[in-house]
Amino acid sequence: VRTVKKFFKKGKIRKIAEKTGFIKRKRKLDAFEFFISLTFGSLTTTTITLGAIAENLSECISRAGINDRFNQYAIDFLTEVFSFFFRTATENGHNINIDVLNQFGRVNIIDSSSWELPPGLKSAFPGYNIAGCKVQLMYDYKTGVIQLFDIKKQTCNDQSYSKTLGDQISADDLLIFDLGYSIADMLKITDDKEAFFISRFNYSGIGLYIKKGEEYERIGISEILKKLNGNETIFEFECYTGNKEKKIKIRFFAVRVPEEVANKKRRKMCQNAKKKGRTPKKESLRLCEWNFMMTNIPAEKTEDVRTILAFYPIRWSVELFFKQFKSVLNIHKTEVRNNEDRLRCEVLGKAIVVMFISYCYSNARSEAWRILGEE
């Protein structure tokens, strides 16, 4: 109860509404009731309808009247509420105490999720087929608190977005991300901030180099694998990556996968190549026997290869948030047909719910770890 009261203070919500200009004078629409309709009020329905919002209001307001209130002021109001929740959650976060992770400041996981929208929203949210929305999410695994929630058009790809993340990274952070963000610019930004990364290796977006004197010579993965001594299942190779401005020293890992996994990767590669009228190279098919990872965590910080590789599966915990968004909150379902502002308000409202759930989860997880030694 204390936690709920800490977040959901009617007076605070109403003050934010006045501060952002959503409520400028006394009127029928109550800011707190509007806020509840778009957050926890949405849990009782598959989609948020104007009629459902009207039922949650103490004063009688028409559907048209409610629809008119979805504007930039409403977006600013909900954005500021989200920021208030973020600050409250961050200030009162509960770390999960794991020795091997305590050497890092935050353990930030970055990922995105997208969905299609009605055609009338295409001008505001262009998608790959019709209209589409994408959410960029970053959260700290140690506290369980969302660090970043950004609503974008579906065509905003992860590689381009990764170049904008510099302000979100602090020294000693550990960033865990997948191939979508694994480009030379992102690695440079992270290294410049004196932070660390773990990622799968992106063949098309990153080059590998060995240093010879003052020069850097590009090297292929096949050349690296030739240095294997026998039937190793895990192989570590020290090299460099980066762009023209800066080369970053990294540890490159090759991890042999089971034969059934390798065959599955080959089948997928062949299917994709066939669609494009091509045939996969033999070398590419052979490389399916391996997963390739990289990190700039120095050996003096974490020497054991298996420990570093164990960090990466933590990334899958972000799927819990996306599952909440789609399976529980139905973020991908909407009655909105052409009102961009209303759609943004709906997404922000559901993001606030997820922020609160993640904070409660953080408390529960911290206590379970402290008392039971389990997640």
Side-chain angles (χ1 to χ4, degrees), residues 6-7 86-95 145 359 362-363:
K6 188 185 299 180
F7 279 84
F86 169 73
R87 292 191 298 271
T88 304
T90 302
E91 291 166 3
N92 298 276
H94 294 75
N95 273 328
V145 174
Y359 177 76
S362 169
N363 280 336

Side-chain angles (χ1 to χ4, degrees), residues 3 70 82 96 101 106 157 174-175 241 259 345 352:
T3 300
F70 288 104
F82 182 86
I96 185 169
L101 295 180
R106 298 176 299 177
N157 67 63
L174 172 61
L175 278 73
T241 189
E259 187 62 26
C345 287
I352 289 168

Side-chain angles (χ1 to χ4, degrees), residues 106-175:
R106 298 176 299 177
V107 179
N108 281 337
I109 301 169
I110 307 167
D111 209 345
S112 66
S113 184
S114 62
W115 60 93
E116 290 188 348
L117 296 171
L121 290 161
K122 188 172 184 179
S123 61
F125 292 97
Y128 294 110
N129 296 314
I130 44 173
C133 185
K134 174 180 279 191
V135 164
Q136 293 284 352
L137 180 70
M138 181 169 77
Y139 94 103
D140 177 13
Y141 177 78
K142 290 171 69 175
T143 62
V145 174
I146 293 174
Q147 303 293 307
L148 169 73
F149 183 91
D150 203 359
I151 306 167
K152 310 297 288 185
K153 59 187 179 182
Q154 191 182 44
T155 52
C156 176
N157 67 63
D158 296 340
Q159 291 191 357
S160 297
Y161 188 80
S162 69
K163 299 175 184 179
T164 70
L165 290 172
D167 291 341
Q168 305 295 331
I169 302 170
S170 301
D172 289 326
D173 280 354
L174 172 61
L175 278 73

Side-chain angles (χ1 to χ4, degrees), residues 258-308:
E259 187 62 26
E260 60 271 21
V261 174
N263 288 334
K264 184 177 179 180
K265 290 168 70 175
R266 291 187 185 103
R267 285 194 297 271
K268 186 175 180 179
M269 183 179 289
C270 290
Q271 289 169 0
N272 291 337
K274 186 176 181 181
K275 289 178 183 178
K276 298 175 182 178
R278 298 202 298 258
T279 301
K281 296 178 180 178
K282 289 183 179 180
E283 186 61 21
S284 298
L285 293 171
R286 190 177 77 82
L287 293 179
C288 288
E289 298 174 9
W290 302 88
N291 281 335
F292 302 106
M293 310 286 295
M294 59 184 179
T295 185
N296 65 337
I297 300 174
E300 56 267 26
K301 195 172 184 72
T302 304
E303 182 177 7
D304 184 53
V305 176
R306 294 183 184 275
T307 298
I308 290 176

Side-chain angles (χ1 to χ4, degrees), residues 26-288:
K26 190 173 181 180
R27 54 197 308 163
K28 285 184 177 181
L29 181 65
D30 180 79
F32 185 77
E33 291 177 349
F34 179 79
F35 161 75
I36 289 296
S37 298
L38 288 172
T39 53
F40 292 94
S42 69
L43 293 175
T44 58
T45 59
T46 301
T47 57
I48 301 174
T49 65
L50 296 175
I53 295 174
E55 289 177 5
N56 284 329
L57 303 178
S58 54
E59 296 286 343
C60 182
I61 302 177
S62 68
R63 289 179 173 84
I66 294 170
N67 190 58
D68 289 342
R69 296 312 309 275
F70 288 104
N71 50 34
Q72 188 59 49
Y73 289 116
I75 295 171
D76 293 344
F77 165 51
L78 292 170
T79 300
E80 184 60 32
V81 173
F82 182 86
S83 297
F84 164 65
F85 276 25
F86 169 73
R87 292 191 298 271
T88 304
T90 302
E91 291 166 3
N92 298 276
H94 294 75
N95 273 328
I96 185 169
N97 188 20
I98 302 176
D99 288 342
V100 74
L101 295 180
N102 288 341
Q103 61 187 313
F104 304 106
R106 298 176 299 177
V107 179
N108 281 337
I109 301 169
I110 307 167
D111 209 345
S112 66
S113 184
S114 62
W115 60 93
E116 290 188 348
L117 296 171
L121 290 161
K122 188 172 184 179
S123 61
F125 292 97
Y128 294 110
N129 296 314
I130 44 173
C133 185
K134 174 180 279 191
V135 164
Q136 293 284 352
L137 180 70
M138 181 169 77
Y139 94 103
D140 177 13
Y141 177 78
K142 290 171 69 175
T143 62
V145 174
I146 293 174
Q147 303 293 307
L148 169 73
F149 183 91
D150 203 359
I151 306 167
K152 310 297 288 185
K153 59 187 179 182
Q154 191 182 44
T155 52
C156 176
N157 67 63
D158 296 340
Q159 291 191 357
S160 297
Y161 188 80
S162 69
K163 299 175 184 179
T164 70
L165 290 172
D167 291 341
Q168 305 295 331
I169 302 170
S170 301
D172 289 326
D173 280 354
L174 172 61
L175 278 73
I176 304 176
F177 44 82
D178 69 358
L179 291 175
Y181 304 84
S182 185
I183 59 172
D185 287 342
M186 176 63 171
L187 305 187
K188 179 184 180 297
I189 289 169
T190 306
D191 199 70
D192 285 345
K193 290 282 186 173
E194 297 183 348
F196 306 96
F197 60 79
I198 298 176
S199 172
R200 288 173 62 196
F201 176 71
N202 182 356
Y203 292 85
S204 60
I206 295 176
L208 297 175
Y209 304 85
I210 54 175
K211 193 171 184 180
K212 292 189 173 181
E214 296 300 315
E215 300 296 321
Y216 293 94
E217 180 181 304
R218 189 154 185 167
I219 185 172
I221 292 180
S222 297
E223 296 172 77
I224 294 175
L225 292 179
K226 288 176 182 177
K227 300 179 183 294
L228 288 169
N229 296 321
N231 295 317
E232 293 101 327
T233 57
I234 299 177
F235 176 70
E236 178 178 348
F237 182 76
E238 192 174 276
C239 57
Y240 293 82
T241 189
N243 54 23
K244 292 181 180 178
E245 297 176 24
K246 181 180 181 180
K247 295 293 187 290
I248 301 163
K249 191 175 185 179
I250 63 167
R251 297 159 72 185
F252 180 84
F253 305 112
V255 184
R256 195 185 295 273
V257 302
E259 187 62 26
E260 60 271 21
V261 174
N263 288 334
K264 184 177 179 180
K265 290 168 70 175
R266 291 187 185 103
R267 285 194 297 271
K268 186 175 180 179
M269 183 179 289
C270 290
Q271 289 169 0
N272 291 337
K274 186 176 181 181
K275 289 178 183 178
K276 298 175 182 178
R278 298 202 298 258
T279 301
K281 296 178 180 178
K282 289 183 179 180
E283 186 61 21
S284 298
L285 293 171
R286 190 177 77 82
L287 293 179
C288 288

